[in-house]
Amino acid sequence: MDDKELLLKLSQSLLEILNDDEYYDVTIEVGNDSYIKIFRAHMVILHYRSTYLRRILSTNKRKNEGTLFHIKLQNILSEIFQIILSGRITLEEYDTSDIIKVLVAGSELGLQELITYFSYIQSFLIKTKANWMEQNFNLIYQ
């Protein structure tokens, strides 16, 4: 097995962990009063993917030893959080408004992988969605 195959297998295993409902140690309540969804997640993955969640987890670590963490994210839509939590964002698959919402939520959560690819995503939107961006300037400006 070469390095590329090993990394591919490791990546696949990590994606399976994201979908594991048995050994989670964090629940995340996402959405507002009209639609709330509970996600199950893994503290160690959240800790390394999000600077925002790392702060929350570190602050509450001393209080919740041995118990399940519960985090509320009321300003993020559940559909957008699902995209972020999956770790897979194929730009061609999503609405332009959803891509913008993912970028905003990713920025709020301090997701390093999205911040790293921000200029690529920005270029993609400018090249392929310029008309939409002009028509929805208010949303982008916000």
Side-chain angles (χ1 to χ4, degrees):
M1 183 180 291
D2 65 7
D3 288 347
K4 188 175 181 179
E5 289 177 45
L6 181 63
L7 287 174
L8 186 61
K9 181 66 177 160
L10 180 60
S11 295
Q12 184 59 40
S13 295
L14 288 173
L15 288 173
E16 289 173 16
I17 288 171
L18 290 174
N19 295 320
D20 177 22
D21 282 346
E22 189 173 352
Y23 295 108
Y24 66 93
D25 51 2
V26 177
T27 56
I28 304 171
E29 184 178 311
V30 180
N32 55 33
D33 294 335
S34 61
Y35 185 69
I36 294 174
K37 186 170 180 182
I38 305 290
F39 291 89
R40 295 179 176 120
H42 305 276
M43 188 182 311
V44 69
I45 293 172
L46 296 175
H47 176 82
Y48 285 101
R49 285 189 71 194
S50 167
T51 55
Y52 174 79
L53 294 175
R54 182 181 308 140
R55 281 192 305 272
I56 290 174
L57 293 169
S58 296
T59 302
N60 293 325
K61 190 164 128 178
R62 292 175 219 102
K63 299 176 191 172
N64 291 347
E65 294 206 20
T67 62
L68 196 67
F69 278 80
H70 184 76
I71 299 170
K72 291 184 180 184
L73 301 173
Q74 296 174 326
N75 59 332
I76 299 175
L77 298 173
S78 60
E79 300 85 16
I80 300 304
F81 192 74
Q82 180 66 50
I83 295 168
I84 290 171
L85 198 61
S86 75
R88 291 179 248 162
I89 300 173
T90 307
L91 298 176
E92 293 80 13
E93 285 183 28
Y94 296 105
D95 245 24
T96 306
S97 62
D98 286 343
I99 294 170
I100 300 294
K101 291 173 187 171
V102 166
L103 286 175
V104 169
S107 178
E108 288 176 12
L109 294 172
L111 295 175
Q112 293 306 94
E113 63 268 21
L114 277 180
I115 293 168
T116 302
Y117 292 108
F118 185 79
S119 61
Y120 169 77
I121 296 169
Q122 190 176 30
S123 295
F124 170 84
L125 291 173
I126 291 169
K127 289 176 186 172
T128 62
K129 308 292 184 180
N131 289 337
W132 185 94
M133 291 173 63
E134 285 176 18
Q135 294 169 357
N136 296 280
F137 182 75
N138 265 354
L139 176 65
I140 294 169
Y141 181 72
Q142 291 173 352

